[in-house]
Amino acid sequence: MGTTINPLAAFVRAKRKSLKFSQEELAFKAGVGLRFLRELERGKTTLRLDKVNQVLELFGKQVGITDLEQNYDTES
């Protein structure tokens, strides 16, 4: 089982470190629990979207819809 980098987890961790926040500080500022933030930074795949957006809001971001790299035929 290979390890893949979760881009959301990597983004949050990198932004937190660039601002020199501890996990505790970022969790407090975002209004989420420390456990939630730790799970987010570990790349947990089942997280509440509203809480993810609470964290991302501190960085001027939000979760959004993006195209997949696969080519889907939507006219079938």
Coordinates of all heavy atoms in Angstrom, one line a residue:
M1 N 0.9 -1.2 0.0 CA 0.0 0.0 0.0 C 0.9 1.2 0.0 O 1.6 1.5 0.9 CB -0.9 0.0 1.2 CG -1.9 1.1 1.3 SD -3.2 0.7 2.4 CE -3.0 1.9 3.6
G2 N 0.9 2.0 -1.1 CA 1.7 3.2 -1.2 C 1.1 4.4 -0.5 O -0.1 4.5 -0.2
T3 N 2.0 5.3 -0.2 CA 1.5 6.6 0.5 C 1.3 7.6 -0.6 O 2.2 7.9 -1.4 CB 2.6 7.0 1.5 OG1 2.8 6.0 2.5 CG2 2.1 8.3 2.2
T4 N 0.2 8.2 -0.6 CA -0.1 9.3 -1.5 C -0.2 10.6 -0.7 O -0.7 10.6 0.4 CB -1.3 9.1 -2.4 OG1 -2.5 8.9 -1.5 CG2 -1.2 7.9 -3.3
I5 N 0.2 11.7 -1.2 CA 0.1 13.0 -0.5 C -1.3 13.6 -0.8 O -1.7 13.8 -1.9 CB 1.2 13.9 -1.0 CG1 2.5 13.3 -0.7 CG2 1.0 15.3 -0.4 CD1 3.7 14.1 -1.2
N6 N -2.0 13.8 0.3 CA -3.3 14.5 0.2 C -3.0 16.0 0.0 O -2.5 16.6 0.9 CB -4.1 14.2 1.5 CG -5.4 14.9 1.5 OD1 -5.6 16.0 1.2 ND2 -6.4 14.1 2.0
P7 N -3.4 16.6 -1.1 CA -3.1 18.0 -1.4 C -3.7 18.9 -0.3 O -3.1 19.9 0.0 CB -3.6 18.3 -2.8 CG -4.3 17.1 -3.2 CD -4.1 16.0 -2.2
L8 N -4.9 18.6 0.1 CA -5.6 19.5 1.2 C -4.8 19.4 2.5 O -4.5 20.5 3.1 CB -7.0 19.0 1.4 CG -7.8 19.8 2.4 CD1 -7.9 21.3 2.0 CD2 -9.2 19.2 2.6
A9 N -4.4 18.2 2.9 CA -3.6 18.1 4.1 C -2.3 18.8 4.0 O -1.9 19.5 4.9 CB -3.4 16.6 4.4
A10 N -1.6 18.7 2.8 CA -0.3 19.3 2.6 C -0.5 20.8 2.6 O 0.4 21.5 3.2 CB 0.3 18.8 1.3
F11 N -1.5 21.3 2.0 CA -1.7 22.8 1.9 C -1.9 23.3 3.3 O -1.3 24.3 3.7 CB -3.0 23.1 1.1 CG -3.4 24.5 1.1 CD1 -2.7 25.4 0.3 CD2 -4.4 25.0 1.9 CE1 -3.0 26.8 0.3 CE2 -4.7 26.3 2.0 CZ -4.0 27.2 1.2
V12 N -2.8 22.7 4.1 CA -3.1 23.2 5.5 C -1.8 23.2 6.3 O -1.5 24.2 7.0 CB -4.3 22.5 6.1 CG1 -4.4 22.8 7.6 CG2 -5.6 22.7 5.4
R13 N -1.1 22.1 6.3 CA 0.1 22.0 7.1 C 1.1 23.0 6.7 O 1.7 23.7 7.5 CB 0.7 20.6 6.9 CG 1.9 20.3 7.8 CD 2.4 18.9 7.7 NE 1.4 17.8 7.7 CZ 1.1 17.1 6.6 NH1 1.7 17.3 5.4 NH2 0.1 16.2 6.6
A14 N 1.3 23.2 5.4 CA 2.3 24.2 4.9 C 1.9 25.6 5.3 O 2.8 26.4 5.7 CB 2.5 24.0 3.4
K15 N 0.7 25.9 5.1 CA 0.2 27.3 5.5 C 0.4 27.5 7.0 O 0.8 28.6 7.4 CB -1.2 27.5 5.0 CG -1.4 27.6 3.5 CD -0.7 28.8 2.9 CE -1.5 30.0 3.1 NZ -0.9 31.2 2.4
R16 N 0.0 26.5 7.8 CA 0.1 26.7 9.2 C 1.6 26.9 9.6 O 1.9 27.8 10.4 CB -0.4 25.4 9.9 CG -0.2 25.4 11.4 CD -0.8 24.2 12.1 NE -0.1 23.0 11.7 CZ 1.1 22.5 12.2 NH1 1.8 23.3 13.0 NH2 1.5 21.4 11.8
K17 N 2.5 26.1 9.0 CA 3.9 26.2 9.3 C 4.4 27.6 8.8 O 5.3 28.2 9.5 CB 4.7 25.1 8.8 CG 4.4 23.8 9.5 CD 5.2 22.6 9.1 CE 5.0 21.4 9.9 NZ 5.9 20.3 9.7
S18 N 4.0 28.0 7.7 CA 4.5 29.3 7.2 C 4.1 30.5 8.1 O 4.8 31.5 8.1 CB 4.0 29.5 5.7 OG 2.7 29.9 5.7
L19 N 3.0 30.3 8.7 CA 2.5 31.4 9.7 C 3.0 31.2 11.1 O 2.7 31.9 12.0 CB 1.0 31.4 9.7 CG 0.3 31.8 8.4 CD1 -1.2 31.6 8.4 CD2 0.6 33.3 8.1
K20 N 3.8 30.1 11.2 CA 4.4 29.7 12.5 C 3.3 29.5 13.6 O 3.5 29.9 14.8 CB 5.4 30.8 13.0 CG 6.6 30.9 12.0 CD 7.6 31.9 12.5 CE 8.8 32.0 11.7 NZ 9.0 31.6 10.4
F21 N 2.2 28.9 13.2 CA 1.2 28.5 14.2 C 1.4 27.1 14.6 O 1.7 26.2 13.8 CB -0.2 28.6 13.6 CG -0.8 30.0 13.3 CD1 -1.8 30.2 12.4 CD2 -0.3 31.1 14.0 CE1 -2.3 31.4 12.1 CE2 -0.8 32.3 13.7 CZ -1.8 32.5 12.8
S22 N 1.1 26.8 15.8 CA 1.0 25.4 16.3 C -0.3 24.8 15.8 O -1.2 25.6 15.5 CB 1.2 25.3 17.8 OG 0.0 25.9 18.4
Q23 N -0.5 23.5 15.9 CA -1.8 23.0 15.6 C -2.8 23.5 16.5 O -4.0 23.8 16.1 CB -1.7 21.5 15.7 CG -1.0 20.8 14.5 CD -1.0 19.3 14.6 OE1 -1.0 18.7 15.6 NE2 -1.1 18.7 13.4
E24 N -2.5 23.7 17.8 CA -3.4 24.2 18.8 C -3.9 25.6 18.5 O -5.0 25.9 18.6 CB -2.8 24.2 20.2 CG -2.5 22.8 20.8 CD -1.2 22.2 20.3 OE1 -0.4 22.8 19.5 OE2 -0.9 21.0 20.7
E25 N -2.9 26.5 18.0 CA -3.2 27.8 17.7 C -4.2 27.9 16.5 O -5.1 28.7 16.5 CB -2.0 28.6 17.4 CG -1.1 28.9 18.6 CD 0.2 29.5 18.3 OE1 0.9 29.0 17.3 OE2 0.7 30.4 19.0
L26 N -3.9 27.1 15.5 CA -4.7 27.2 14.3 C -6.1 26.6 14.6 O -7.1 27.2 14.1 CB -4.1 26.4 13.1 CG -4.8 26.4 11.8 CD1 -5.1 27.8 11.3 CD2 -4.1 25.5 10.8
A27 N -6.2 25.5 15.3 CA -7.5 25.0 15.7 C -8.3 26.1 16.4 O -9.5 26.3 16.1 CB -7.3 23.7 16.5
F28 N -7.7 26.7 17.4 CA -8.4 27.8 18.1 C -8.9 28.9 17.2 O -10.0 29.3 17.3 CB -7.5 28.3 19.2 CG -8.1 29.4 20.0 CD1 -9.1 29.1 21.0 CD2 -7.8 30.7 19.8 CE1 -9.7 30.2 21.7 CE2 -8.4 31.8 20.5 CZ -9.3 31.5 21.5
K29 N -8.0 29.4 16.4 CA -8.3 30.5 15.5 C -9.4 30.2 14.5 O -10.2 31.0 14.1 CB -7.1 31.0 14.7 CG -6.0 31.7 15.6 CD -4.8 32.1 14.8 CE -3.8 32.8 15.7 NZ -4.2 34.0 16.3
A30 N -9.4 28.9 14.1 CA -10.4 28.4 13.1 C -11.7 28.0 13.8 O -12.7 27.9 13.1 CB -9.9 27.3 12.3
G31 N -11.7 27.9 15.1 CA -12.9 27.5 15.8 C -13.2 26.0 15.6 O -14.4 25.6 15.6
V32 N -12.2 25.2 15.4 CA -12.4 23.7 15.3 C -11.6 23.1 16.4 O -10.7 23.7 17.0 CB -11.9 23.2 13.9 CG1 -12.8 23.8 12.8 CG2 -10.5 23.4 13.7
G33 N -11.9 21.8 16.7 CA -11.1 21.1 17.7 C -9.7 20.7 17.2 O -9.5 20.5 16.0
L34 N -8.9 20.5 18.2 CA -7.5 20.0 17.9 C -7.5 18.7 17.2 O -6.8 18.5 16.2 CB -6.7 20.0 19.1 CG -5.2 19.5 19.0 CD1 -4.4 20.4 18.0 CD2 -4.5 19.5 20.4
R35 N -8.3 17.8 17.6 CA -8.4 16.5 17.0 C -8.8 16.6 15.5 O -8.2 15.9 14.7 CB -9.4 15.6 17.7 CG -9.6 14.2 17.1 CD -10.6 13.4 17.9 NE -10.9 12.2 17.2 CZ -11.7 11.3 17.7 NH1 -12.4 11.5 18.8 NH2 -11.9 10.2 17.0
F36 N -9.8 17.4 15.2 CA -10.2 17.6 13.8 C -9.0 18.1 13.0 O -8.8 17.6 11.9 CB -11.4 18.6 13.7 CG -11.7 18.9 12.3 CD1 -12.6 18.1 11.6 CD2 -11.2 20.0 11.7 CE1 -12.9 18.3 10.3 CE2 -11.5 20.3 10.3 CZ -12.4 19.4 9.7
L37 N -8.3 19.1 13.5 CA -7.2 19.7 12.7 C -6.1 18.6 12.5 O -5.6 18.5 11.4 CB -6.6 20.9 13.4 CG -5.5 21.6 12.6 CD1 -6.1 22.2 11.3 CD2 -4.8 22.6 13.4
R38 N -5.8 17.8 13.5 CA -4.8 16.8 13.4 C -5.3 15.8 12.3 O -4.5 15.3 11.5 CB -4.6 16.1 14.7 CG -3.8 16.9 15.6 CD -3.5 16.2 16.9 NE -2.6 17.1 17.8 CZ -2.5 16.9 19.1 NH1 -3.2 16.1 19.7 NH2 -1.7 17.7 19.7
E39 N -6.5 15.4 12.3 CA -7.1 14.5 11.3 C -7.0 15.1 9.9 O -6.7 14.4 8.9 CB -8.5 14.1 11.6 CG -8.6 13.2 12.9 CD -10.0 12.8 13.3 OE1 -10.9 13.6 12.9 OE2 -10.1 11.9 14.1
L40 N -7.3 16.4 9.8 CA -7.2 17.1 8.5 C -5.8 17.0 8.0 O -5.5 16.7 6.8 CB -7.7 18.5 8.7 CG -7.5 19.5 7.5 CD1 -8.3 19.0 6.3 CD2 -8.0 20.8 7.9
E41 N -4.8 17.4 8.8 CA -3.4 17.4 8.4 C -2.9 16.0 8.1 O -1.9 15.8 7.4 CB -2.5 18.1 9.4 CG -2.7 19.6 9.4 CD -1.6 20.3 10.2 OE1 -0.7 19.7 10.7 OE2 -1.8 21.6 10.3
R42 N -3.5 15.0 8.7 CA -3.1 13.6 8.4 C -3.7 13.0 7.1 O -3.4 11.9 6.7 CB -3.4 12.7 9.5 CG -2.5 12.8 10.7 CD -2.8 11.7 11.7 NE -2.4 12.1 13.0 CZ -3.1 12.2 14.1 NH1 -4.4 12.0 14.1 NH2 -2.6 12.6 15.3
G43 N -4.6 13.8 6.6 CA -5.3 13.4 5.3 C -6.5 12.5 5.5 O -6.8 11.7 4.6
K44 N -7.1 12.5 6.6 CA -8.3 11.7 6.8 C -9.3 12.0 5.7 O -9.5 13.1 5.4 CB -8.9 12.0 8.2 CG -10.1 11.1 8.5 CD -10.7 11.3 9.9 CE -11.9 10.4 10.1 NZ -12.6 10.7 11.3
T45 N -9.9 10.9 5.2 CA -10.7 11.1 4.0 C -12.2 11.4 4.3 O -12.9 11.8 3.4 CB -10.7 9.8 3.1 OG1 -11.1 8.7 3.9 CG2 -9.3 9.6 2.5
T46 N -12.6 11.2 5.6 CA -14.0 11.5 5.9 C -14.0 12.6 7.0 O -13.8 12.4 8.2 CB -14.7 10.3 6.5 OG1 -13.9 9.7 7.6 CG2 -14.8 9.2 5.4
L47 N -14.1 13.9 6.5 CA -14.2 15.0 7.4 C -15.4 15.9 7.0 O -15.8 15.9 5.9 CB -12.9 15.9 7.2 CG -11.6 15.2 7.7 CD1 -10.4 16.1 7.2 CD2 -11.6 15.1 9.2
R48 N -15.9 16.6 8.0 CA -17.0 17.5 7.7 C -16.5 18.7 6.9 O -15.6 19.4 7.2 CB -17.6 18.0 9.1 CG -18.4 17.0 9.8 CD -19.1 17.5 11.0 NE -19.7 18.8 10.8 CZ -20.3 19.5 11.8 NH1 -20.3 19.0 13.0 NH2 -20.8 20.7 11.6
L49 N -17.2 18.9 5.8 CA -16.8 19.9 4.8 C -16.9 21.3 5.4 O -16.1 22.2 5.1 CB -17.7 19.8 3.6 CG -17.2 20.4 2.3 CD1 -15.8 20.1 2.0 CD2 -18.2 20.1 1.2
D50 N -17.9 21.5 6.2 CA -18.1 22.9 6.8 C -16.9 23.2 7.7 O -16.4 24.3 7.7 CB -19.4 23.0 7.6 CG -19.6 22.0 8.7 OD1 -19.0 20.9 8.7 OD2 -20.3 22.3 9.7
K51 N -16.4 22.2 8.4 CA -15.3 22.5 9.3 C -14.0 22.6 8.5 O -13.1 23.4 8.9 CB -15.1 21.3 10.3 CG -16.2 21.4 11.4 CD -15.9 20.4 12.5 CE -16.9 20.5 13.6 NZ -16.3 20.1 14.9
V52 N -13.8 21.9 7.4 CA -12.7 22.1 6.5 C -12.7 23.5 6.0 O -11.7 24.2 6.0 CB -12.7 21.1 5.3 CG1 -11.6 21.4 4.3 CG2 -12.5 19.6 5.8
N53 N -13.8 24.0 5.6 CA -13.9 25.4 5.1 C -13.7 26.4 6.2 O -13.2 27.5 5.9 CB -15.3 25.6 4.5 CG -15.3 25.1 3.0 OD1 -14.3 25.2 2.3 ND2 -16.5 24.7 2.6
Q54 N -14.0 26.1 7.5 CA -13.7 27.0 8.6 C -12.1 27.2 8.6 O -11.7 28.3 8.9 CB -14.1 26.4 9.9 CG -15.6 26.7 10.2 CD -15.9 26.1 11.6 OE1 -16.7 25.2 11.6 NE2 -15.4 26.6 12.7
V55 N -11.4 26.1 8.5 CA -9.9 26.2 8.5 C -9.4 26.9 7.3 O -8.6 27.9 7.4 CB -9.3 24.8 8.6 CG1 -7.8 24.9 8.5 CG2 -9.7 24.1 9.9
L56 N -9.9 26.6 6.1 CA -9.5 27.2 4.9 C -9.8 28.7 4.8 O -9.0 29.5 4.2 CB -10.0 26.5 3.7 CG -9.6 25.0 3.5 CD1 -10.3 24.4 2.3 CD2 -8.1 25.0 3.3
E57 N -10.8 29.1 5.5 CA -11.2 30.5 5.5 C -10.1 31.4 6.0 O -9.9 32.5 5.5 CB -12.5 30.7 6.3 CG -13.1 32.1 6.2 CD -14.4 32.2 7.0 OE1 -15.0 31.2 7.2 OE2 -14.7 33.4 7.3
L58 N -9.4 30.9 7.0 CA -8.3 31.7 7.5 C -7.2 32.0 6.5 O -6.4 32.9 6.6 CB -7.6 30.9 8.7 CG -8.4 30.8 10.0 CD1 -7.7 29.9 11.0 CD2 -8.7 32.2 10.6
F59 N -7.1 31.2 5.4 CA -6.2 31.4 4.4 C -6.8 32.0 3.1 O -6.2 32.0 2.1 CB -5.5 30.0 4.0 CG -5.0 29.3 5.2 CD1 -5.3 28.0 5.4 CD2 -4.1 29.9 6.1 CE1 -4.9 27.3 6.5 CE2 -3.7 29.2 7.2 CZ -4.0 27.9 7.4
G60 N -8.1 32.4 3.2 CA -8.7 33.0 2.1 C -9.1 32.0 1.0 O -9.2 32.3 -0.1
K61 N -9.4 30.8 1.5 CA -9.7 29.7 0.5 C -11.0 29.0 1.0 O -11.4 29.1 2.1 CB -8.5 28.6 0.5 CG -7.2 29.2 0.2 CD -7.1 29.5 -1.3 CE -5.7 30.0 -1.6 NZ -5.6 30.6 -2.9
Q62 N -11.5 28.1 0.1 CA -12.6 27.2 0.4 C -12.5 26.0 -0.5 O -11.9 26.1 -1.6 CB -14.0 27.9 0.2 CG -14.3 28.3 -1.2 CD -15.7 29.0 -1.3 OE1 -16.2 29.4 -0.3 NE2 -16.2 29.1 -2.5
V63 N -13.2 25.0 -0.1 CA -13.2 23.8 -1.0 C -14.2 24.0 -2.1 O -15.2 24.7 -2.0 CB -13.7 22.5 -0.1 CG1 -14.0 21.3 -1.0 CG2 -12.8 22.2 1.0
G64 N -13.8 23.6 -3.3 CA -14.6 23.8 -4.5 C -14.6 22.7 -5.4 O -13.9 21.7 -5.2
I65 N -15.3 22.8 -6.5 CA -15.5 21.8 -7.5 C -14.4 22.0 -8.5 O -14.2 23.1 -9.0 CB -16.8 21.8 -8.2 CG1 -17.9 21.5 -7.1 CG2 -16.9 20.8 -9.3 CD1 -19.3 21.8 -7.6
T66 N -13.6 20.9 -8.8 CA -12.6 21.0 -9.9 C -12.8 19.8 -10.8 O -13.4 18.8 -10.5 CB -11.2 20.9 -9.3 OG1 -11.1 19.7 -8.6 CG2 -10.9 22.0 -8.3
D67 N -12.3 20.0 -12.0 CA -12.4 18.9 -13.0 C -11.4 17.8 -12.7 O -10.3 18.1 -12.2 CB -12.0 19.5 -14.4 CG -13.1 20.4 -14.9 OD1 -14.3 20.3 -14.6 OD2 -12.7 21.4 -15.7
L68 N -11.8 16.6 -13.0 CA -10.9 15.5 -12.8 C -10.1 15.4 -14.1 O -10.4 15.9 -15.1 CB -11.7 14.2 -12.7 CG -12.6 14.0 -11.5 CD1 -13.5 12.8 -11.5 CD2 -11.7 14.0 -10.2
E69 N -9.0 14.7 -14.0 CA -8.1 14.6 -15.1 C -8.7 13.6 -16.2 O -8.3 13.6 -17.3 CB -6.7 14.1 -14.7 CG -6.0 15.2 -13.9 CD -4.6 14.8 -13.6 OE1 -4.0 13.9 -14.2 OE2 -4.0 15.4 -12.6
Q70 N -9.6 12.8 -15.8 CA -10.2 11.8 -16.7 C -11.2 12.6 -17.7 O -11.7 13.6 -17.3 CB -11.0 10.8 -16.0 CG -10.2 9.9 -15.1 CD -11.0 9.0 -14.2 OE1 -12.1 9.4 -13.8 NE2 -10.4 8.0 -13.7
N71 N -11.3 12.1 -18.9 CA -12.2 12.7 -19.9 C -13.5 12.0 -19.8 O -13.7 10.9 -20.3 CB -11.5 12.7 -21.2 CG -12.3 13.4 -22.3 OD1 -13.2 14.2 -21.9 ND2 -11.9 13.3 -23.5
Y72 N -14.6 12.7 -19.3 CA -15.9 12.1 -19.3 C -16.7 12.6 -20.4 O -16.7 13.8 -20.7 CB -16.6 12.5 -17.9 CG -16.0 11.8 -16.8 CD1 -15.1 12.4 -15.9 CD2 -16.3 10.4 -16.5 CE1 -14.6 11.8 -14.8 CE2 -15.7 9.8 -15.4 CZ -14.9 10.5 -14.6 OH -14.3 9.8 -13.5
D73 N -17.5 11.8 -21.1 CA -18.4 12.2 -22.1 C -19.7 12.5 -21.5 O -20.4 11.5 -21.1 CB -18.5 11.1 -23.2 CG -19.4 11.4 -24.3 OD1 -19.8 12.6 -24.4 OD2 -19.7 10.6 -25.2
T74 N -20.1 13.7 -21.4 CA -21.3 14.1 -20.7 C -22.5 14.1 -21.6 O -23.6 14.4 -21.2 CB -21.2 15.5 -20.0 OG1 -20.8 16.5 -21.1 CG2 -20.1 15.5 -19.0
E75 N -22.4 13.8 -22.9 CA -23.5 13.9 -23.8 C -24.0 12.5 -24.1 O -24.7 12.3 -25.1 CB -23.1 14.6 -25.1 CG -22.7 16.1 -24.8 CD -22.5 16.8 -26.1 OE1 -23.1 16.5 -27.1 OE2 -21.7 17.8 -26.0
S76 N -23.7 11.5 -23.4 CA -24.1 10.1 -23.6 C -25.5 9.9 -23.2 O -26.0 10.4 -22.2 CB -23.2 9.1 -22.9 OG -21.9 9.2 -23.4

